[in-house]
Amino acid sequence: MTAATPLLVVEGVDAAPAANAAPVLRGVSFTIAPGTCVALVGASGSGKTSLLRTIAGAVAPAAGRVLVEDRDLVTLTGGARRQARARIATVAQRHDLVEQLRVDKNVMAGALGRWTTFHALRFLIHARSEELDEARVALDAVGLADKVARPTAALSGGEQQRVAIARALVQAPALLLADEPVASLDPANAIAILELLTCLARARGMALLVSLHQPDLAARFADRVLEVGGGRVVERERTGA
Amino acid sequence: MTPTLQLLGSFFPPDMSMSYLLALLPLVSETLALVVGAITLAYAAGIVLALAVAVRLRGAALLVNALALVRAIPDLTLAILCVIAFGLGPGAGLIALFVYYTAATAKMFADLLVTAPRRPVEALEATGAGRLAVALYGLLPLTGQSLLTYGAFALECALRSSVIVGAVGGGGIGGELVGSLAGFDFRHATTQILLLVLVIAALDRAVAWLREHPRWLALLLPAGLIAAAAYLPRTFALHHALQTIGDMVPPTLDAAALAALPGLAWETIWMAGVGTVVAAVAGLLGAVLASHRLMPWGVRFPVRRLLELLRTIPEVVWGLVLVVIVGIGPLAGAAALALHSLGSLGRLFANELDAAPAGPQDAIVQAGGGRPAMLCYATIPLSLPAMAAHLLFRFDWNLRMATVLGLIGAGGIGQALYQAQQLFFYRQVLAYVLVTGVLVLVTDRISARLRRRLNNPRPAAHHCLDDVAGLAT
């Protein structure tokens, strides 16, 4: 990669599953340029989720630092931290939607980082048509335009995954983190979701860091593949095209 | 035996004349209004406090934990303090119920919100959403159903508490009942008890229905606000209240009272212990007879109704009647606790027996064991940890109630407290309040530790439910 300024810089990071837990990964360093799709491959428990949560700012790194657009979340507080977090969107494998809320509310939750609290409250009670349009556009991009007013619990697993991606699109981030987004999906759905993620990332210039179980899917969809194992992260050389 | 039977006979027949029933109607409606008003306010305050804890507002957790200490003060004691501060009448009762249930709901709601599913909440935080937005879009919708369920429970137990509050001058039908019994007007007392049981049973059904249709709880909001506005104390005698509080410090017990203290504490603990153990032994038998899995309809139906009846009558009402029949003293208190607890433990135990996993039980039957063998070697051992947890909660609760029963002459610290208040010995009142608080708090901690050691596999929120169920039953 020859990109001038990397979007994400991971520098000597020790990543742990929780704030006071022992690190599962040590001395992790890599960078990602804007608009690149990178896969993170490794067995269950190898530390993929811990690394992604550390990058997302959910857990502070035990050592080292993470920079997204030159900003280190650990050093930021209050509104500045929230603004910086809003530049990073996360899509998890499942169970990260609030099933008690309708689809449009879940999708527009992506905008909470830029809305005031009053705006957030008002949208729950009364949604304006332009806001619903924004939700519809995001859902259209993931192929669910007709589900805008459905109860979230009534959607299938694959559909819920798409709603989570639509929420990430509303957030309009610079970096999209996807933690095993296809782990609970059948093969056809898995390929469809990965195609969607990579296409959207490339079309919108977002960097994508996606963790996967399956090396073949990683090789097929990602520009670069990082292997996680034995407490380390190493870049795999691309063989073939 | 004959005098006891004669005494019992004097409770019957109850006065069911229309004119008397109509005369009681305002008292019943006052009781209901007090309860709905107090719970509406407590629920609103509780949810605000709990949200403050959940969004990690600085100092909020400390505040709620400090408030939780209020729960260590039995509702009777709180009611007495409120009557002192606000004067006789429903206003004092409303404030007492409000304070007690704000403390209870704030702690409960905070526990619930904190144990909400983490993933959706983290996903919202990751969007850069502020703390209130995370509460609005995550915490509240995720836990709404449970919040409503517990709110409905609180309503039910507040109605039971209102009898106690009324008994010390906090308004409602409780005061009338104590008056009737004190004046040996037993037939009218029976009418009041029947009416009370009817109201509690009706509310029981209403709450069960509301748990299925929680949206209708919204209707309670305007009703509660109107009731609260109508009954909030008009006169808050600030000067008098401050003077009274001033009279309470420093808490003092003279030498004689101090010497009697261990005996009084023991009487209270004895009452709670005996009442709980008797209820547990009888409750296990009742649970086997009430079990869906073990008994045919013909047996379990009447047993379940009997347990329900025992549970519906509040401990204080059992106590009032038993004091008349077996005489003043801790025996009446223990018997009152045992009768009410039998009803609630019997039902809870039966639920646990029915919820025991089928596999091990079937295995015993497959191996040729009969029902008694299955019961002894599978069903009861499987449900034992859960039943022990219920038992410990019940003991906690009964210890609180044992101090309350002192009011009606069952002895113990509660009686000493009530007498000190009647004689305006306020320094003694505060001393007894503090001793009661410490006693309740210490058993609370011990039982919490024991429960943890039982290694009950159910999540924290369920314990929370038990806590409320304990309050409600």
Side-chain angles (χ1 to χ4, degrees):
Chain A
M1 302 302 298
T2 53
T5 35
L7 175 84
L8 169 71
V9 178
V10 177
E11 232 172 50
V13 162
D14 287 4
N20 296 317
V24 287
L25 292 176
R26 287 187 186 277
V28 178
S29 295
F30 62 89
T31 62
I32 296 181
T36 324
C37 294
V38 180
L40 209 54
V41 186
S44 297
S46 59
K48 301 189 296 291
T49 300
S50 296
L51 182 59
L52 287 173
R53 280 165 54 88
T54 305
I55 294 170
V59 190
R65 59 180 193 156
V66 176
L67 299 178
V68 178
E69 295 183 317
D70 284 331
R71 282 181 295 192
D72 184 352
L73 282 176
V74 174
T75 63
L76 301 175
T77 54
R81 179 179 158 84
R82 293 222 311 274
Q83 256 177 20
R85 283 198 88 173
R87 300 290 291 156
I88 311 166
T90 310
V91 177
Q93 37 181 316
R94 263 185 84 173
H95 311 299
D96 75 336
L97 298 178
V98 178
E99 293 197 353
Q100 289 83 350
L101 293 179
R102 265 176 19 183
V103 169
D104 53 343
K105 304 286 187 293
N106 268 301
V107 170
M108 291 313 288
L112 289 176
R114 57 175 193 266
W115 282 357
T116 61
T117 303
F118 175 75
H119 191 159
L121 182 62
R122 202 262 300 137
F123 180 72
L124 276 184
I125 298 161
H126 169 73
R128 296 210 175 114
S129 60
E130 64 266 25
E131 289 159 346
L132 287 178
D133 284 344
E134 191 182 348
R136 218 169 272 124
V137 168
L139 283 168
D140 192 31
V142 298
L144 289 178
D146 54 330
K147 310 267 179 175
V148 67
R150 292 289 302 277
T152 304
L155 302 186
S156 71
E159 286 172 331
Q160 290 200 5
Q161 194 64 277
R162 286 164 190 268
V163 172
I165 296 171
R167 178 176 64 192
L169 293 180
V170 167
Q171 198 178 327
L175 173 64
L176 178 57
L177 304 173
D179 186 11
E180 305 211 357
V182 298
S184 50
L185 300 181
D186 58 83
N189 250 316
I191 289 172
I193 289 282
L194 281 175
E195 252 167 15
L196 180 67
L197 275 173
T198 45
C199 285
L200 286 170
R202 288 191 179 112
R204 294 173 190 229
M206 297 184 285
L208 172 68
L209 181 59
V210 53
S211 71
L212 292 169
H213 269 310
Q214 307 90 325
D216 54 321
L217 287 180
R220 178 166 161 194
F221 288 101
D223 304 320
R224 293 163 58 200
V225 177
L226 300 173
E227 275 186 349
V228 186
R232 304 265 155 208
V233 176
V234 287
E235 176 128 21
R236 185 198 294 171
E237 294 301 319
R238 302 270 304 179
T239 52
Chain B
M1 204 62 205
T2 337
T4 310
L5 280 179
Q6 257 174 5
L7 210 51
L8 208 56
S10 61
F11 279 87
F12 296 97
D15 181 358
M16 299 304 264
S17 66
M18 192 47 90
S19 58
Y20 186 61
L21 289 177
L22 281 177
L24 285 180
L25 206 59
L27 285 173
V28 173
S29 55
E30 185 175 86
T31 303
L32 279 175
L34 268 184
V35 167
V36 174
I39 287 297
T40 308
L41 295 182
Y43 197 94
I47 207 137
V48 169
L49 286 167
L51 272 177
V53 174
V55 302
R56 296 191 284 276
L57 209 65
R58 202 163 294 167
L62 198 69
L63 177 66
V64 165
N65 282 324
L67 257 181
L69 290 182
V70 172
R71 291 189 306 165
I73 307 176
D75 37 11
L76 167 77
T77 315
L78 207 58
I80 289 178
L81 293 177
C82 285
V83 167
I84 290 173
F86 298 97
L88 287 172
L94 185 83
I95 298 287
L97 289 174
F98 164 67
V99 170
Y100 188 81
Y101 284 97
T102 299
T105 48
K107 179 87 179 97
M108 208 154 57
F109 288 175
D111 287 350
L112 265 178
L113 290 177
V114 168
T115 52
R118 281 315 299 167
R119 280 177 159 280
V121 175
E122 269 184 17
L124 286 171
E125 284 170 348
T127 64
R131 290 190 279 200
L132 266 175
V134 171
L136 285 173
Y137 281 75
L139 294 173
L140 284 179
L142 283 166
T143 53
Q145 188 73 33
S146 317
L147 293 179
L148 288 174
T149 303
Y150 299 144
F153 263 127
L155 193 66
E156 195 181 322
C157 39
L159 183 61
R160 283 174 230 269
S161 300
S162 74
V163 180
I164 299 160
V165 169
V168 292
I173 198 169
E176 187 72 12
L177 181 56
V178 173
S180 299
L181 287 163
F184 300 107
D185 187 1
F186 296 140
R187 288 182 48 207
H188 280 151
T190 310
T191 315
Q192 290 152 15
I193 292 173
L194 286 177
L195 207 57
L196 204 60
V197 167
L198 206 68
V199 172
I200 292 177
L203 196 73
D204 212 39
R205 294 272 174 256
V207 163
W209 186 84
L210 279 172
R211 251 177 262 152
E212 304 292 315
H213 310 85
R215 274 159 201 275
W216 289 92
L217 270 174
L219 273 186
L220 281 180
L221 187 70
L225 289 179
I226 292 169
Y231 284 110
L232 265 181
R234 291 279 168 272
T235 52
F236 173 49
L238 182 70
H239 181 70
H240 170 69
L242 284 179
Q243 198 185 350
T244 312
I245 291 168
D247 289 346
M248 286 184 177
V249 284
T252 317
L253 289 178
D254 56 33
L258 216 52
L261 194 60
L264 291 175
W266 170 244
E267 239 173 42
T268 302
I269 295 171
W270 182 89
M271 228 187 294
V274 169
T276 311
V277 168
V278 169
V281 173
L284 185 58
L285 186 69
V288 170
L289 294 176
S291 157
H292 281 289
R293 188 180 286 166
L294 302 168
M295 289 293 153
W297 184 87
V299 177
R300 65 170 197 257
F301 182 81
V303 172
R304 279 194 174 245
R305 296 295 85 76
L306 178 69
L307 291 175
E308 236 167 56
L309 181 73
L310 290 172
R311 193 174 68 88
T312 307
I313 301 178
E315 297 94 331
V316 176
V317 175
W318 277 122
L320 285 168
V321 175
L322 284 163
V323 161
V324 173
I325 295 170
V326 307
I328 280 175
L331 184 64
L337 293 178
L339 281 173
H340 179 82
S341 304
L342 166 58
S344 75
L345 280 182
R347 187 193 59 155
L348 289 169
F349 284 1
N351 291 350
E352 294 301 342
L353 291 179
D354 284 340
Q361 301 186 62
D362 291 344
I364 303 258
V365 176
Q366 299 260 309
R371 279 208 174 172
M374 180 180 89
L375 197 63
C376 295
Y377 285 90
T379 320
I380 290 180
L382 283 168
S383 10
L384 218 48
M387 291 201 288
H390 289 307
L391 186 70
L392 288 169
F393 272 117
R394 201 66 224 170
F395 177 71
D396 274 7
W397 176 253
N398 279 346
L399 190 73
R400 265 169 246 218
M401 284 317 292
T403 66
V404 171
L405 289 174
L407 153 84
I408 49 141
I413 292 185
Q415 189 161 346
L417 169 70
Y418 185 62
Q419 281 167 356
Q421 186 248 329
Q422 295 284 296
L423 297 169
F424 304 107
F425 292 163
Y426 287 136
R427 289 184 181 182
Q428 276 196 25
V429 168
L430 186 58
Y432 285 128
V433 166
L434 292 177
V435 171
T436 313
V438 169
L439 199 63
V440 170
L441 222 54
V442 168
T443 36
D444 229 31
R445 282 292 134 95
I446 295 174
S447 110
R449 187 159 295 178
L450 285 174
R451 279 199 301 272
R452 226 169 296 141
R453 206 174 284 176
L454 286 171
N455 205 7
N456 211 331
R458 288 180 302 167
H462 279 266
H463 285 303
C464 187
L465 176 66
D466 285 343
D467 206 5
V468 194
L471 285 173
T473 50

